[in-house]
Amino acid sequence: QVQLVESGGGLVQPGGSLRLSCAASESIFSINIMGWYRQAPGKERELVARISRFGSTNYVDSVKGRFTISRDYTGKTAYLQMNTLKPEDTAVYYCYGSRSNIDYWGQGIQVTISS
């Protein structure tokens, strides 16, 4: 069962922008932490950004100043605004959510930065 659904991926040239969205299904009542992982070809999956229920955020060093994570007033939709994109940002991006000892994952969405 798909519990988190990503959207907004695609192909963009270096220096461009994309905005990813992640929506939790109705079966999920609430989520404490939402965020984004990514996995590039030949690389390990890494945590890109996350946001708590209180709005505190964390980013991997490589995206600081370029990416912004946010969530809507319901706390069940997360966004990742990606600016000044670089070829090394190319990866499959996975949304995640967690509450207590329960983790939720999206199926992943492709983001490709290429000229």
Side-chain angles (χ1 to χ4, degrees):
Q1 180 180 359
V2 176
Q3 295 179 295
L4 299 176
V5 179
E6 304 101 334
S7 62
L11 173 66
V12 67
Q13 294 184 340
S17 298
L18 284 173
R19 190 188 192 204
L20 304 182
S21 298
C22 172
S25 71
E26 293 180 352
S27 65
I28 301 176
F29 182 76
S30 64
I31 303 176
N32 293 131
I33 301 291
M34 296 193 75
W36 297 89
Y37 283 75
R38 69 184 180 187
Q39 187 165 23
K43 303 288 186 178
E44 296 292 323
R45 185 177 298 189
E46 68 172 349
L47 177 64
V48 178
R50 70 177 192 173
I51 183 168
S52 76
R53 64 204 292 204
F54 308 110
S56 62
T57 58
N58 298 95
Y59 300 91
V60 67
D61 287 345
S62 61
V63 309
K64 288 180 179 178
R66 300 188 297 118
F67 290 12
T68 302
I69 190 171
S70 61
R71 64 198 297 176
D72 71 2
Y73 74 95
T74 70
K76 295 180 65 177
T77 302
Y79 306 93
L80 186 67
Q81 179 66 46
M82 305 184 291
N83 298 325
T84 318
L85 285 161
K86 304 174 180 179
E88 51 263 44
D89 295 317
T90 295
V92 176
Y93 284 69
Y94 298 88
C95 181
Y96 86 93
S98 66
R99 178 177 175 82
S100 299
N101 63 337
I102 302 174
D103 294 332
Y104 305 97
W105 289 93
Q107 292 183 319
I109 189 166
Q110 180 68 48
V111 171
T112 302
I113 316 303
S114 177
S115 59

